[in-house]
Amino acid sequence: MRAVHIRRATGVVVSAVVLGCLPVCAATDATAQSAATGSLNAAGHTDSVRHIALQGAVNVRDLGGYRTDEGRQVRYGQVFRADALGSLTDTDISKLSALDLRTVVDFRVPFEVQRDGTDRLPAGVTAVSRSVNDLGLYGRTMEAIGSKDPVEQQALLGDGKAEQLMRDIYRTFVTSPESRRRFAETLRDLANHKQSPLLYHCTSGKDRTGWMSYLLLRAVGVPDETAEKDYLLSNDFRAEADRRSREGLRKAGLMENPDLLLPLQEVREDYLEAALDQADHDYGSLHGYLTEGLGLDTPTLAKLRARLVK
């Protein structure tokens, strides 16, 4: 049984807070970073999580180091997950250069890119746009915040509506043919040594990126509990930046109750569970989703594991 598991408007950033990301307020201080790392150890992680500390992004990680169900290890330096890369500093870009990336896949929809900017990447990296539908979450939340109306914000996001929207988004990761195609293309790229080292990201690096990472880890044999822990780590790495986002909105008078955004900023077990339940319903299992839903045949899955596991 698996575990149940803002460009500036009226003086503050609005758009980038929508999916839990505020690049300009990235938690760069050592205290915030060490606190996140400490929580990983306290949570009992036996695998080494390699977080890449940047000034313009807070949720950049190497997916290497996790152990498979056979006791083997996911290779470091081959696949990375991240939040938006449009606010990277020159120093950040130098750090990314050291990763020898060949490909960066951007899951953001065009409206997100328009509002928050294109990625800043090292020279020579191939940028691939592979947008995954967010069911209008980004635009809808921007509208709610921009209204500055507590009643409207409560009506749009309160009483469980934000949580339900997040669960709906996760279900579309399974039901949407376009979304399935985007995830499948990325997994095929990772199986192809010519495309990696590869980094993929969305705005906050937690939902579309989180699902992609969960799929990848499970596909190469990492146990469900470990893959879910990696998914939930976004809450640790994003906590301080998200808190600053909410406080900024409150001080600017845009939201009386910025905690309405918490369900949008966090990853939660029941969001992941919504996608997994949908996969069970539509394809019988996660393996069925990978093979039938994403169209990944046995040789491709074997190549993926051979490429990423040692």
Side-chain angles (χ1 to χ4, degrees):
M1 177 180 178
R2 64 169 179 261
V4 175
H5 316 4
I6 297 177
R7 297 287 178 203
R8 296 190 177 271
T10 62
V12 300
V13 174
V14 174
S15 67
V17 77
V18 172
L19 294 180
C21 178
L22 186 54
V24 296
C25 289
T28 58
D29 57 279
T31 300
Q33 298 297 353
S34 62
T37 302
S39 68
L40 305 187
N41 296 333
H45 278 267
T46 58
D47 299 291
S48 177
V49 176
R50 185 172 290 178
H51 176 246
I52 300 164
L54 302 177
Q55 296 173 330
V58 298
N59 199 11
V60 185
R61 293 180 253 155
D62 189 329
L63 272 186
Y66 289 115
R67 296 287 177 180
T68 71
D69 48 15
E70 297 175 343
R72 299 170 67 189
Q73 187 179 47
V74 179
R75 299 177 191 273
Y76 283 112
Q78 294 301 305
V79 54
F80 301 85
R81 54 175 297 170
D83 42 356
L85 304 177
S87 296
L88 297 188
T89 66
D90 290 343
T91 299
D92 292 339
I93 293 175
S94 294
K95 285 189 176 183
L96 286 189
S97 294
L99 303 180
D100 294 324
L101 295 173
R102 292 187 181 179
T103 310
V104 169
V105 175
D106 188 350
F107 291 138
R108 296 177 297 168
V109 301
F111 184 53
E112 293 173 89
V113 178
Q114 176 186 346
R115 297 292 300 191
D116 295 333
T118 57
D119 291 338
R120 295 197 68 207
L121 302 174
V125 175
T126 299
V128 178
S129 177
R130 203 166 273 166
S131 61
V132 175
N133 188 2
D134 69 345
L135 293 186
L137 172 65
Y138 194 91
R140 190 184 314 184
T141 311
M142 275 185 59
E143 181 180 358
I145 295 172
S147 74
K148 299 188 285 186
D149 183 348
V151 175
E152 180 177 349
Q153 291 166 356
Q154 176 67 30
L156 289 172
L157 303 175
D159 303 316
K161 295 185 182 68
E163 292 91 336
Q164 184 60 52
L165 178 57
M166 294 302 297
R167 288 190 289 269
D168 289 344
I169 290 171
Y170 275 71
R171 280 189 279 268
T172 66
F173 296 162
V174 177
T175 61
S176 165
E178 181 180 0
S179 295
R180 293 199 306 271
R181 183 165 59 252
R182 302 305 193 194
F183 294 130
E185 289 168 343
T186 305
L187 287 169
R188 289 192 182 96
D189 282 348
L190 286 165
N192 181 356
H193 70 280
K194 294 180 180 180
Q195 306 298 322
S196 58
L198 181 148
L199 178 150
Y200 52 80
H201 77 90
C202 51
T203 292
S204 64
K206 67 184 185 68
D207 299 311
R208 291 161 289 190
T209 297
W211 176 244
M212 180 76 253
S213 301
Y214 179 88
L215 287 182
L216 172 62
L217 292 174
R218 298 290 287 122
V220 300
V222 172
D224 173 79
E225 181 180 2
T226 303
E228 182 179 317
K229 285 179 179 178
D230 176 81
Y231 166 79
L232 292 172
L233 284 180
S234 287
N235 288 336
D236 293 271
F237 290 117
R238 292 218 51 85
E240 178 60 18
D242 291 342
R243 183 197 66 78
R244 294 180 186 182
S245 297
R246 295 192 303 275
E247 182 64 14
L249 293 171
R250 186 191 64 78
K251 288 181 176 179
L254 291 180
M255 295 192 77
E256 284 186 3
N257 182 18
D259 284 353
L260 287 169
L261 297 174
L262 277 169
L264 309 180
Q265 292 181 315
E266 295 177 346
V267 289
R268 297 183 179 181
E269 294 171 351
D270 65 301
Y271 299 167
L272 180 61
E273 194 72 11
L276 292 171
D277 285 347
Q278 193 68 50
D280 286 347
H281 178 272
D282 292 356
Y283 300 103
S285 65
L286 185 65
H287 181 73
Y289 170 77
L290 288 168
T291 56
E292 183 182 349
L294 301 190
L296 302 175
D297 57 20
T298 299
T300 300
L301 291 172
K303 184 188 293 186
L304 183 69
R305 184 177 289 213
R307 284 279 302 130
L308 297 181
V309 176
K310 65 178 181 179

